[in-house]
Amino acid sequence: MLSRKLFTSHRIIRCPATHRLYAEAMSSTWPAGKSRIILGSSSYSRQGIMKELAQEYGFEYDTATADIDEQSLGDRTSDPAELVTLLAQAKADAIYDRLETKRGLLLTCDQVVIYQGRVREKPASTQQAKEFIHGYSEYPAGTVGCTMCTDLESRQSFKAVDTTWVRVYHVPWLDGRLLLS
């Protein structure tokens, strides 16, 4: 089955927990015959990964966006894993409500950056983005992401939450470029 091969591919999944999620989702217990795939994301990088997989494995997929106000959902001062899970589920619910045909698999995701113990929102300006990058050389930053795969008929979902920490070491040639450019 094409979708089984897709979701156990090492190319879409780069972290073991998410790989296990898709392996479980595509196991023999998953409802058969779900060839329709919907990527519930407007993320350029996620769409790029899906496009690459579609070309490689010869399948088609649709995209949909949730169009939700993410800022109004969840507690950004609490557990980031709970936040990204809530947001991935909210995206799935919003897309599900707008679908005419409730068959196939829906993939939704969310990710946040953690810096000094707090969720860091997307930078509001280029200058703020430069300051964020510079700050990552002083303190490690992490990302917490949730990937959710939902069967649209049964509404059964599988999810994985992964955390990654990154330490950016001082790069002398960036000093002037980041803060003065």
Side-chain angles (χ1 to χ4, degrees), residues 112-131:
V112 295
V113 173
I114 306 300
Y115 181 71
Q116 292 186 313
R118 292 186 299 268
V119 171
R120 183 170 254 186
E121 301 296 340
K122 293 177 183 169
S125 66
T126 302
Q127 182 60 34
Q128 188 178 39
K130 291 175 183 180
E131 291 168 6

Side-chain angles (χ1 to χ4, degrees), residues 33-38 60-62 99-106 152:
K34 308 294 185 208
S35 59
R36 180 180 182 213
I37 299 172
I38 302 169
E60 294 182 11
Y61 66 96
D62 298 317
L99 291 174
E100 291 179 22
T101 305
K102 313 282 194 216
R103 288 194 359 217
L105 299 175
L106 172 62
L152 293 171

Side-chain angles (χ1 to χ4, degrees), residues 21-180:
L21 161 76
Y22 287 116
E24 181 180 343
M26 291 295 129
S27 71
S28 60
T29 61
W30 190 260
K34 308 294 185 208
S35 59
R36 180 180 182 213
I37 299 172
I38 302 169
L39 175 63
S41 178
S42 60
S43 162
Y44 179 78
S45 60
R46 288 184 188 116
Q47 288 184 6
I49 291 168
M50 190 63 116
K51 181 178 179 181
E52 178 184 320
L53 288 168
Q55 290 172 345
E56 183 174 341
Y57 291 102
F59 68 89
E60 294 182 11
Y61 66 96
D62 298 317
T63 58
T65 57
D67 301 323
I68 60 173
D69 179 10
E70 293 184 34
Q71 296 300 315
S72 68
L73 299 172
D75 179 3
R76 279 150 177 77
T77 63
S78 188
D79 182 6
E82 289 178 13
L83 174 63
V84 294
T85 300
L86 173 79
L87 292 170
Q89 183 64 59
K91 291 174 184 181
D93 292 342
I95 293 168
Y96 180 87
D97 290 342
R98 292 193 327 262
L99 291 174
E100 291 179 22
T101 305
K102 313 282 194 216
R103 288 194 359 217
L105 299 175
L106 172 62
L107 300 175
T108 54
C109 309
D110 198 74
Q111 183 178 44
V112 295
V113 173
I114 306 300
Y115 181 71
Q116 292 186 313
R118 292 186 299 268
V119 171
R120 183 170 254 186
E121 301 296 340
K122 293 177 183 169
S125 66
T126 302
Q127 182 60 34
Q128 188 178 39
K130 291 175 183 180
E131 291 168 6
F132 282 7
I133 293 169
H134 181 74
Y136 298 149
S137 68
E138 297 172 10
Y139 299 98
T143 60
V144 180
C146 177
T147 304
M148 186 171 290
C149 181
T150 303
D151 178 289
L152 293 171
E153 275 186 271
S154 69
R155 298 290 303 262
Q156 180 181 11
S157 293
F158 292 89
K159 69 176 170 90
V161 176
D162 296 299
T163 302
T164 303
W165 289 96
V166 178
R167 174 69 185 214
V168 178
Y169 291 97
H170 180 77
V171 182
W173 64 268
L174 283 179
D175 287 343
R177 291 180 187 205
L178 282 177
L179 299 177
L180 301 176

